[in-house]
Amino acid sequence: MRSAAERAHRTATLRDVAALAGVSIRTVSNVVNGSVPVRESTRTRVAEAIERLDYHPNVAARRLRSGRTQVIGLALPDVTVPYFRELADAVLAAAWRRRMSVVVVQTQGDLERERSVPSSPQLRHVDGIILAAVSLTEEDFRAMSGTAPLVLASASVRSDAIDSVTADTFAAGRCVAQHLLATGRRRPAVIRPGDTQWPAEYDGRYRGFMAGLADAGITLPESHIVSTDVVAFGSDAGALRTLRLDLPEVDALFALGDRLALGALRTLHAAGRRVPEDLAVVGFGNIEQSAYSYPTLTTVDPGGQAIAEQAVALIADRVERTAAEKVPPRRSTVDFRLIERESTRVTG
Amino acid sequence: MRSAAERAHRTATLRDVAALAGVSIRTVSNVVNGSVPVRESTRTRVAEAIERLDYHPNVAARRLRSGRTQVIGLALPDVTVPYFRELADAVLAAAWRRRMSVVVVQTQGDLERERSVPSSPQLRHVDGIILAAVSLTEEDFRAMSGTAPLVLASASVRSDAIDSVTADTFAAGRCVAQHLLATGRRRPAVIRPGDTQWPAEYDGRYRGFMAGLADAGITLPESHIVSTDVVAFGSDAGALRTLRLDLPEVDALFALGDRLALGALRTLHAAGRRVPEDLAVVGFGNIEQSAYSYPTLTTVDPGGQAIAEQAVALIADRVERTAAEKVPPRRSTVDFRLIERESTRVTG
DNA sequence: TTGAAAGCGCTAACAA
DNA sequence: TTGTTAGCGCTTTCAA
């Protein structure tokens, strides 16, 4: 049985092209792959035959021989979560530019599923895998090293055992603290996701923020560290209660994620507290909506675009080199940017 | 050179397993595929050998022989757009359950890119393609029929030429009208995306709504049909201006998409018009945020989950049947649901 | 029920 | 610069 995509008209093979062009299949292969010089006149003749027969290389055969697929895997928690959705978008775009296909697999951030990514049957035929892990630890990464080319691409999770590209979320968190302090805020609070799900994802920015405050001699009281559930948080009543933002002395709020920040904005508005006049708010992620909220949200752009771009480049590079070449794990850090918008604007 | 995923330890092949089990490769193949009965004792021996060698079938070789890949393609405008993101999520989940991989390709809703989907190199090796088209017309679909198994899976776009699964958006639009009328509203307005980009996507629900109003003898004046840009709409100032919702007589608003509706909600709130007291608002899409807005949004769930599930089932079925079997195009309609929330609640 | 063997279409080593 | 050819690992026909 022929491939599904090829049923219609029996597809042309190298052999057909060779016959039509009056050369050997070797020559056709050379023309197609451009790996070996071919005389111009021959090339033209072959090209014509290819054109005429609408020849397309059979990927499976090529793969069977060469081991390359031009397919990469992208494993992430869930395309529904803003940060990962935007990572997916960027990876897809970067891969497209390089004429590679992307197989997407969702892990739901589940530890077991993340662990089994490199051995997943769904990813068995890929050249390399971009893994946006949120639950794995260094131990897991060590176990994974030495398998297929693998690049870690979360904003926060990095490793010494395998390639990783991340944002320096610690520095970003510290930068948020500095920004808040620089605009005259002195009594900040933090909102973080309560479900300890995906702790690694939020840890860096949290510690960075605390460090930034500590630099200025500020320590947060327990009551100014609020934990809440990201999703439930969306419902305003719940958020208001959770937030206890009746705390009147708080003059700045760092929400560890944009969704959290957006929820806070709504809640504060409903509660009659003015942003940024009474209270500055900063998020993290620079998701699309953050530019359209009321007021628009100051946030950190963790450089998802750049992370994606680099991750794809790293994979491509690893794949390029043959098994022989041992390249030690590389760690690459992408620049974050603090996007200043209305929610922290200095007023009157 | 070996496949990337297989470099580590030279992977076992059928031959290795056969040697270890003391049978021919034919028998091992039979055990692996379960296609032909195998004596129980033989089966056990082979299974042990497989286990011991950690044998995994080589997908490329299998594909080269059989033409199947267990990979399907998903082509959609952009994983960043709520409806398509949720479609992607559902397709990924459905495919995962069937142990299939999904290659995702973004078209940006661009006509040319949608047209070239079936012949795209990125999708050359898939068994079938789920296409969420927004710009193609019946003519394009006809041109595509007869190539790889292909299923159309937008909420609105259907075809006579190829398999399609959609929601009955016309009925849904009409249902919205009925709901609004049933709750006592008499002077509705519509907001639709102004950029005529992806017209097909919005056409059904729009016409359905109009038909529903017509049933009750209502015709909308021009001034009550507002066009606006989905994204710019997010900025409140822009929206307010665009909306001209100073129109004081309007008591109901049908926004053809949830994002539009959510924007309207914010705008109305800022303008001091109360929802649902002064004005009812209905969206379309049932995107996650619609459940968390203030007030929560009444909207239509076009059954994206079911669409995805069915699309995957249709593809799997098409792939199952060999080329010989001609199955005529099938059209499948999925149930929509009107999700009643606060924004249309009857008050007082 | 099992074995032997013929390719699927391609890449690349070896020859010319 | 080009031709010849040996497989890559698997499925499947034909025989036994």
Side-chain angles (χ1 to χ4, degrees):
Chain A
M1 187 195 130
R2 312 199 65 74
S3 142
E6 298 157 2
R7 274 183 209 156
H9 336 284
R10 169 179 173 332
T11 19
T13 72
L14 270 193
R15 191 173 270 91
D16 300 327
V17 177
L20 181 60
V23 298
S24 80
I25 64 169
R26 164 69 203 265
T27 305
V28 180
S29 174
N30 287 157
V31 171
V32 172
N33 296 300
S35 36
V36 175
V38 175
R39 192 189 305 146
E40 198 46 43
S41 62
T42 318
R43 175 193 304 286
T44 324
R45 209 140 36 86
V46 171
E48 274 171 21
I50 289 179
E51 174 77 12
R52 205 128 78 80
L53 297 176
D54 190 29
Y55 167 78
H56 292 282
N58 177 315
V59 216
R62 176 178 281 179
R63 154 98 213 268
L64 183 56
R65 248 341 282 235
S66 72
R68 295 281 187 73
T69 57
Q70 296 284 72
V71 180
I72 62 175
L74 171 64
L76 41 66
D78 186 334
V79 287
T80 264
V81 176
Y83 173 75
F84 296 110
R85 163 206 321 163
E86 288 173 18
L87 183 73
D89 183 47
V91 167
L92 255 19
W96 178 268
R97 265 178 259 124
R98 291 163 186 262
R99 311 171 152 284
M100 302 192 298
S101 315
V102 182
V103 170
V104 181
V105 158
Q106 302 196 123
T107 61
Q108 312 297 345
D110 176 74
L111 179 61
E112 272 319 311
R113 285 177 77 172
E114 287 193 348
R115 272 206 190 115
S116 62
V117 157
S119 59
S120 150
Q122 276 83 354
L123 296 177
R124 187 153 280 286
H125 65 294
V126 302
D127 283 343
I129 299 174
I130 296 178
L131 173 58
V134 295
S135 299
L136 299 181
T137 61
E138 189 64 14
E139 197 174 349
D140 299 307
F141 297 136
R142 222 166 308 129
M144 285 176 179
S145 79
T147 65
L150 194 60
V151 172
L152 228 44
S154 305
S156 331
V157 183
R158 56 174 58 225
S159 161
D160 289 318
I162 58 181
D163 289 350
S164 52
V165 23
T166 53
D168 187 346
T169 51
F170 184 89
R174 173 176 253 148
C175 171
V176 169
Q178 286 161 351
H179 172 65
L180 255 14
L181 294 167
T183 52
R185 313 291 175 167
R186 285 296 174 273
R187 308 194 133 276
V190 182
I191 311 181
R192 49 181 197 165
D195 24 23
T196 45
Q197 200 196 9
W198 313 355
E201 197 56 28
Y202 296 95
D203 194 49
R205 49 190 97 160
Y206 177 71
R207 289 185 302 104
F209 183 67
M210 293 310 205
L213 296 181
D215 291 344
I218 298 180
T219 317
L220 288 197
E222 276 290 335
S223 63
H224 287 185
I225 303 173
V226 183
S227 292
T228 184
D229 174 60
V230 185
V231 176
F233 192 63
S235 87
D236 297 81
L240 192 55
R241 222 181 8 261
T242 322
L243 258 185
R244 290 178 320 213
L245 274 182
D246 33 0
L247 293 173
E249 70 277 18
V250 169
D251 64 2
L253 202 56
F254 178 34
L256 295 188
D258 275 355
R259 287 166 107 186
L260 251 18
L262 260 12
L265 244 30
R266 280 207 307 276
T267 306
L268 291 167
H269 181 69
R273 299 201 62 185
R274 296 170 308 160
V275 177
E277 292 83 351
D278 303 340
L279 190 71
V281 176
V282 181
F284 195 106
N286 192 28
I287 69 177
E288 197 191 349
Q289 301 153 254
S290 67
Y292 301 118
S293 58
Y294 174 73
T296 57
L297 182 67
T298 292
T299 187
V300 174
D301 185 329
Q305 295 281 338
I307 290 179
E309 182 63 55
Q310 286 220 31
V312 172
L314 275 179
I315 281 289
D317 178 76
R318 278 252 179 236
V319 172
E320 209 62 40
R321 305 158 184 267
T322 56
E325 250 182 288
K326 279 274 177 209
V327 182
R330 288 162 292 186
R331 291 168 58 149
S332 153
T333 302
V334 140
D335 287 338
F336 63 86
R337 280 185 316 146
L338 182 72
I339 315 276
E340 298 186 31
R341 299 209 188 93
E342 293 166 3
S343 67
T344 60
R345 199 138 289 170
V346 178
T347 56
Chain B
M1 187 195 130
R2 313 199 65 73
S3 142
E6 298 158 4
R7 275 184 208 155
H9 335 284
R10 174 184 171 323
T11 20
T13 71
L14 270 192
R15 190 174 271 91
D16 300 327
V17 177
L20 181 61
V23 298
S24 81
I25 63 169
R26 163 70 203 264
T27 307
V28 180
S29 175
N30 286 156
V31 172
V32 172
N33 296 301
S35 36
V36 173
V38 176
R39 192 191 302 146
E40 197 46 42
S41 62
T42 317
R43 174 193 305 287
T44 324
R45 210 141 34 87
V46 171
E48 274 172 22
I50 288 177
E51 175 77 10
R52 204 129 77 81
L53 296 176
D54 190 29
Y55 166 79
H56 292 282
N58 177 313
V59 215
R62 176 177 283 179
R63 155 98 215 269
L64 181 56
R65 253 335 288 238
S66 72
R68 294 281 186 72
T69 57
Q70 296 284 73
V71 180
I72 61 174
L74 172 63
L76 39 65
D78 186 334
V79 287
T80 263
V81 176
Y83 173 74
F84 296 110
R85 164 206 322 162
E86 289 175 16
L87 182 73
D89 183 48
V91 167
L92 254 19
W96 178 267
R97 264 177 259 124
R98 292 164 185 261
R99 310 170 153 284
M100 302 192 300
S101 314
V102 182
V103 170
V104 181
V105 158
Q106 303 195 122
T107 61
Q108 313 298 345
D110 176 75
L111 179 61
E112 271 319 311
R113 286 177 74 171
E114 287 193 347
R115 271 205 190 118
S116 62
V117 156
S119 59
S120 149
Q122 276 82 354
L123 296 176
R124 185 152 282 284
H125 65 293
V126 301
D127 282 343
I129 299 174
I130 296 177
L131 173 58
V134 294
S135 299
L136 298 181
T137 60
E138 189 64 14
E139 196 176 349
D140 299 307
F141 298 136
R142 225 167 304 131
M144 287 176 177
S145 79
T147 65
L150 193 60
V151 173
L152 226 44
S154 305
S156 332
V157 183
R158 57 173 58 226
S159 161
D160 289 318
I162 59 182
D163 288 352
S164 51
V165 24
T166 53
D168 187 346
T169 52
F170 184 90
R174 172 177 254 149
C175 171
V176 168
Q178 286 161 352
H179 172 65
L180 255 13
L181 294 167
T183 53
R185 312 291 174 166
R186 285 296 173 272
R187 310 193 133 275
V190 183
I191 311 182
R192 50 181 197 164
D195 24 25
T196 45
Q197 201 196 8
W198 313 356
E201 197 57 27
Y202 297 94
D203 194 48
R205 48 191 98 159
Y206 177 72
R207 288 186 302 105
F209 184 66
M210 293 311 205
L213 295 181
D215 292 344
I218 298 181
T219 316
L220 287 198
E222 275 290 335
S223 63
H224 287 185
I225 302 173
V226 182
S227 293
T228 183
D229 173 62
V230 184
V231 175
F233 193 63
S235 86
D236 297 82
L240 193 55
R241 220 180 11 258
T242 321
L243 259 185
R244 291 181 317 214
L245 275 182
D246 33 358
L247 295 170
E249 70 277 17
V250 168
D251 63 3
L253 202 57
F254 178 33
L256 295 188
D258 274 356
R259 288 165 107 186
L260 250 18
L262 259 13
L265 244 31
R266 279 207 307 276
T267 306
L268 292 167
H269 182 69
R273 300 200 61 184
R274 296 171 308 161
V275 176
E277 293 83 352
D278 302 339
L279 189 71
V281 175
V282 181
F284 195 107
N286 192 27
I287 69 176
E288 197 191 349
Q289 301 152 255
S290 67
Y292 300 120
S293 57
Y294 174 73
T296 56
L297 181 69
T298 292
T299 186
V300 174
D301 185 329
Q305 294 281 337
I307 291 179
E309 182 63 54
Q310 286 221 33
V312 172
L314 275 180
I315 281 289
D317 178 76
R318 279 253 178 233
V319 173
E320 209 62 41
R321 306 160 183 264
T322 56
E325 251 183 289
K326 280 273 175 208
V327 182
R330 289 163 292 187
R331 292 168 58 148
S332 154
T333 301
V334 140
D335 287 338
F336 64 86
R337 280 185 316 145
L338 181 73
I339 316 276
E340 298 187 32
R341 299 211 187 92
E342 293 166 3
S343 67
T344 59
R345 200 138 289 171
V346 178
T347 56

